[in-house]
Amino acid sequence: METKYKIKLDASKNLPLYMQIAEHIKSLITSGEIKPGEKLLPIRKLAAELDVNPITVVNAYKYLEEQELASSRVGSGTYVTYRKSPTEAQTTASNRSNLLLEIEYNEYNLIDRGQIRIKPGIINFASASPSPELFPVKEFKNVLNEVLERDKGFAFSYQESQGYYPLRESIAEYIHTYNIKSSPEEIQIISGAQQGIDIITKVLIKPGDCIFIENPSYAGAISAFTSRGAKLVQIPINPDGIDLNYMEIKLKEQRPKFVYIMPCFQNPTGYLYSPSTRKGILELAEKYDFLIIEDDHLSDLSFSYEKVYPLKSDDKNNRVVYIKSFSKIFMPGLRIAFLIAHPDMYNDLIEAKHSSDISTSGFLQRAFDLYLRKGIMPSHIESTKRIYKERYDTMLQSLKQYLPEEIKFVPPAGGLNFWICLPEGYNSDNLYVECLKKDILFVPGSFFNPSQTPVPCFRLSFAATNKQEIEKGIESLAKTIEIFLKEYSDLKTPLPTYIPFL
Ligand SMILES: Cc1ncc(COP(=O)(O)O)c(C=O)c1O
């Protein structure tokens, strides 16, 4: 690398990495070390030299552009444009820097924390959260009012940490339709499945303990596990579920404290475990004596089969800790979910829940209880499913119509996500950057592995988009991919691929 670009990055600094890079290059430009008209180092080259994600360098260059120090030319690179007197340039820059910092940070970097601020006009295939027009607001307003009338101030007193007993009763009843037998004593109410993952980890994991996860896996779980110091072993997932042969090889090397899986429409791949994989993982759990944490956020959204049942419904020996989220089929902001654990775990779980938030909102638990007791949940799920199915069909049809032949995917049997794979060697982080320029947003595959290693695959969700957006967005995505495959063909590098079957 040209020595002038050598930058000592410090991740512990308050300043984001892209700003550290931008500030350094800015000083080179304003001091005249990089001349007007000179081309800045190509994004991927600088990213490789500095060992950062290319998106970080994109952000740095965009920052320089906004400061009128450089400008990008399509297909060519970024060039220094700075010609004003230094004082003039700096005034413009400092006036804007705070605002820019926020915009840039939100647009690109917040994806690292599972959040992205969406600017108007963007087609959002990144979010797997339902759009608010699907929420049963009127019905929920009625139950909220009824609870206030009925319970008055009691609705706002402290609640048992295990959860409001009548809600645990109505959940035990409700979950029968998933072929799961349970009792109120076995149910722990949690403030969202994310909290469930976190408190289970708090109870079971000490720093250095091993957890097996699917590869790729849900980023929120990965961050909960790593924040407790767990060592993660990644087991590839195939279209029929986790790779049991590979898993057994790993089990012979080390025993995990638990295996975290999403057997029904896995996040991000959308894959559904086959009956033999379900049977096989339960047998391995017996043979090698480990717990399975089943995260069920989408089993309700089966489009190809009449009904799909959680793995917990096959669990005869209490090997499965079942976490159920209502965020995708009801309202994510309600922050109510539940878990069914092994009886030995309850005391520790209640303690962990108590130290986390004492209890889930008693008022909302009472309202949700009433909602379930009114028996309207199944019809709400049915109507939500109908709308999602239309979006699913539109996305499937558009992908088949527009995507170039070399792009592979296995249509999922349900859920909200498609897992799309570029040919081997291409990096979906780079495509993410190109698509953002066209106002198309998706989640690159690097987001779903602990080391954020770039991969060819990426996740497209249709939860937050309508039919028109899907058609327009997939057509534009496909065009962008076509150009991308040509422009980036000389930049291919061996990248891990998750899908041995493709
Ligand atoms: C697989 C998976 N588990 C858990 C969650 C978090 O769910 P909740 O909103 O219930 O905390 C999500 C959210 O996207 C998810 O995708």
Side-chain angles (χ1 to χ4, degrees):
M1 164 159 71
E2 291 170 59
T3 44
K4 63 188 173 195
Y5 278 92
K6 279 229 160 76
I7 305 166
K8 243 185 147 190
L9 295 173
D10 183 356
S12 65
K13 267 193 189 168
N14 247 346
L15 200 61
L17 290 183
Y18 84 93
M19 280 296 292
Q20 294 182 36
I21 298 169
E23 287 299 340
H24 177 81
I25 298 177
K26 179 177 156 187
S27 72
L28 296 174
I29 294 172
T30 52
S31 67
E33 270 195 83
I34 305 181
K35 305 265 175 307
E38 197 177 316
K39 185 177 170 183
L40 295 180
L41 270 195
I43 288 168
R44 279 168 303 282
K45 190 160 179 212
L46 184 54
E49 301 280 4
L50 299 176
D51 200 22
V52 296
N53 193 307
I55 294 165
T56 308
V57 179
V58 169
N59 287 341
Y61 283 8
K62 282 198 82 175
Y63 179 79
L64 295 170
E65 276 186 66
E66 295 289 350
Q67 297 226 334
E68 295 166 18
L69 297 167
S71 91
S72 70
R73 291 183 211 152
V74 183
S76 171
T78 305
Y79 294 81
V80 175
T81 51
Y82 172 81
R83 288 187 192 279
K84 298 174 187 162
S85 74
T87 41
E88 200 187 336
Q90 267 156 16
T91 315
T92 323
S94 64
N95 285 349
R96 292 195 192 174
S97 66
N98 286 343
L99 179 65
L100 268 170
L101 190 68
E102 204 179 309
I103 295 169
E104 297 287 320
Y105 200 74
N106 283 326
E107 268 186 18
Y108 293 98
N109 294 21
L110 277 186
I111 199 167
D112 295 338
R113 289 188 262 145
Q115 295 179 19
I116 317 154
R117 183 169 296 175
I118 305 299
K119 67 178 191 193
I122 211 154
I123 297 184
N124 179 9
F125 294 132
S127 171
S129 292
S131 29
E133 75 269 10
L134 302 183
F135 299 164
V137 175
K138 200 164 134 247
E139 291 81 0
F140 209 72
K141 185 175 163 199
N142 292 341
V143 291
L144 287 170
N145 285 335
E146 267 187 61
V147 167
L148 283 175
E149 280 295 314
R150 186 191 68 190
D151 299 350
K152 313 257 174 342
F154 290 103
F156 300 103
S157 50
Y158 275 120
Q159 206 61 69
E160 259 183 86
S161 291
Q162 194 175 348
Y164 179 57
Y165 191 85
L167 174 61
R168 288 191 272 137
E169 275 178 336
S170 51
I171 284 178
E173 173 82 28
Y174 173 74
I175 203 69
H176 262 127
T177 58
Y178 293 66
N179 276 354
I180 296 174
K181 289 196 186 63
S182 182
S183 68
E185 284 65 35
E186 291 172 306
I187 288 169
Q188 168 70 55
I189 306 292
I190 42 185
S191 304
Q194 183 64 35
Q195 185 183 55
I197 297 167
D198 195 48
I199 63 173
I200 287 172
T201 315
K202 199 153 98 182
V203 165
L204 294 177
I205 299 297
K206 296 187 302 306
D209 283 347
C210 169
I211 300 173
F212 283 12
I213 58 170
E214 295 154 327
N215 185 8
S217 184
Y218 166 52
I222 293 174
S223 75
F225 299 152
T226 48
S227 75
R228 304 272 172 208
K231 193 177 130 232
L232 301 182
V233 173
Q234 297 173 270
I235 313 290
I237 180 162
N238 301 317
D240 65 349
I242 198 160
D243 185 331
L244 293 176
N245 292 332
Y246 187 82
M247 185 161 152
E248 188 155 18
I249 294 170
K250 290 289 158 188
L251 282 167
K252 285 179 182 154
E253 289 168 11
Q254 57 196 318
R255 291 295 152 84
K257 273 285 163 72
F258 58 77
V259 177
Y260 167 78
I261 57 172
M262 294 158 269
C264 303
F265 315 126
Q266 201 258 6
N267 183 9
T269 60
Y271 297 158
L272 174 68
Y273 280 37
S274 67
S276 68
T277 310
R278 289 165 70 107
K279 188 164 169 278
I281 195 166
L282 289 171
E283 283 167 5
L284 286 182
E286 280 301 307
K287 185 170 166 190
Y288 293 94
D289 190 20
F290 59 83
L291 279 177
I292 296 169
I293 310 295
E294 175 179 22
D295 184 349
D296 173 15
H297 64 314
L298 286 175
S299 67
D300 307 82
L301 296 180
S302 169
F303 302 137
S304 305
Y305 303 99
E306 182 67 22
K307 197 155 170 70
V308 159
Y309 293 100
L311 181 67
K312 180 70 182 166
S313 66
D314 297 347
D315 176 30
K316 305 278 176 287
N317 300 324
N318 234 334
R319 286 282 164 193
V320 179
V321 175
Y322 178 67
I323 305 177
K324 174 73 186 158
S325 169
F326 293 104
S327 288
K328 311 296 179 199
I329 47 159
F330 199 58
M331 300 187 281
L334 196 61
R335 309 309 303 140
I336 294 184
F338 69 92
L339 65 81
I340 302 174
H342 191 281
D344 293 351
M345 290 171 66
Y346 278 101
N347 286 344
D348 290 341
L349 275 175
I350 293 169
E351 209 176 303
K353 167 72 180 166
H354 188 270
S355 74
S356 174
D357 66 351
I358 301 181
S359 84
T360 298
S361 157
F363 178 43
L364 293 176
Q365 287 191 64
R366 284 159 197 256
F368 190 47
D369 170 46
L370 206 52
Y371 187 89
L372 288 179
R373 283 172 194 269
K374 283 181 186 287
I376 42 183
M377 188 66 152
S379 66
H380 168 72
I381 292 178
E382 271 316 301
S383 60
T384 305
K385 198 171 143 182
R386 259 197 311 279
I387 295 166
Y388 280 147
K389 172 79 166 75
E390 274 171 25
R391 295 178 186 178
Y392 168 88
D393 287 340
T394 310
M395 185 169 266
L396 181 57
Q397 164 63 27
S398 306
L399 289 170
K400 283 183 177 163
Q401 182 177 347
Y402 295 117
L403 276 190
E405 247 179 29
E406 323 76 300
I407 307 301
K408 304 285 182 227
F409 68 97
V410 176
L416 300 169
N417 306 314
F418 283 75
W419 185 241
I420 311 288
C421 293
L422 299 168
E424 225 174 285
Y426 284 96
N427 173 353
S428 63
D429 284 5
N430 292 333
L431 180 67
Y432 167 81
V433 172
E434 295 303 324
C435 283
L436 259 190
K437 293 180 195 162
K438 301 276 185 292
D439 284 345
I440 306 284
L441 196 63
F442 61 74
V443 187
S446 57
F447 190 61
F448 302 103
N449 69 67
S451 54
Q452 306 213 326
T453 311
V455 291
C457 306
F458 58 95
R459 191 189 79 177
L460 282 182
S461 303
F462 51 85
T465 48
N466 60 34
K467 195 168 183 297
Q468 290 72 27
E469 285 175 319
I470 295 170
E471 283 167 349
K472 185 170 158 224
I474 298 298
E475 189 179 357
S476 166
L477 170 77
K479 280 189 190 138
T480 313
I481 290 178
E482 262 172 44
I483 299 168
F484 174 83
L485 291 180
K486 288 189 197 111
E487 285 191 347
Y488 283 69
S489 66
D490 55 334
L491 295 162
K492 285 196 292 179
T493 46
L495 288 175
T497 175
Y498 293 137
I499 306 185
F501 285 4
L502 286 179

